[in-house]
Amino acid sequence: MFKTLIRWLLLAAALLLVAHLYPGVVVKSFSSALIAALVLGLLNTLLRPILVLLTLPVTVISLGLFLFVINALMFWSAAHLLEGLAVESFFAALVGSLIYSLCGMGIDVLMERIFPPQD
């Protein structure tokens, strides 16, 4: 439970970093970032696998590059659902989702080192 809470806080901070690095993404406050990180997590857990499965032929033809479009759609959808997260355009969602994904990978590596898996 503690590990999940720490990861959620770090992902919210990553959203603030995305907004700081790229002007096409705006996050109003840390509380907005917390809610946005939660919504992004839910969208990625519930909706993303369905979209990946439905777009599998396009993903295969594009050698996996279409997954970036799906990530951008999740980011853009979260921005449309929330008032505290704003994205200027689909391209801004694409860039924002790329930065957020890179931060997420870094957070996952950090969490593995801090909380090693139990055998």
Side-chain angles (χ1 to χ4, degrees), residues 36-118:
L38 179 66
V39 169
L40 275 168
L42 288 173
L43 285 173
N44 283 328
T45 301
L46 301 173
L47 192 58
R48 188 175 187 275
I50 296 167
L51 288 175
V52 168
L53 187 62
L54 290 174
T55 61
L56 193 59
V58 177
T59 303
V60 170
I61 290 170
S62 69
L63 301 176
L65 293 177
F66 195 74
L67 292 174
F68 291 119
V69 173
I70 292 173
N71 285 343
L73 283 173
M74 296 297 101
F75 202 80
W76 203 30
S77 298
H80 283 296
L81 291 173
L82 303 169
E83 292 181 15
L85 175 65
V87 177
E88 283 183 6
S89 64
F90 184 77
F91 181 75
L94 182 64
V95 173
S97 70
L98 286 172
I99 297 170
Y100 185 68
S101 294
L102 289 173
C103 291
M105 285 190 293
I107 289 168
D108 288 341
V109 168
L110 179 68
M111 294 302 288
E112 285 289 323
R113 290 187 181 197
I114 293 174
F115 302 104
Q118 301 294 327

Side-chain angles (χ1 to χ4, degrees), residues 7-49:
R7 187 173 187 278
W8 180 40
L9 291 170
L10 289 173
L11 287 172
L15 269 176
L16 291 174
L17 179 67
V18 170
H20 179 72
L21 293 176
Y22 188 68
V25 177
V26 176
V27 179
K28 290 184 181 177
S29 64
F30 187 69
S31 60
S32 296
L34 283 170
I35 295 168
L38 179 66
V39 169
L40 275 168
L42 288 173
L43 285 173
N44 283 328
T45 301
L46 301 173
L47 192 58
R48 188 175 187 275

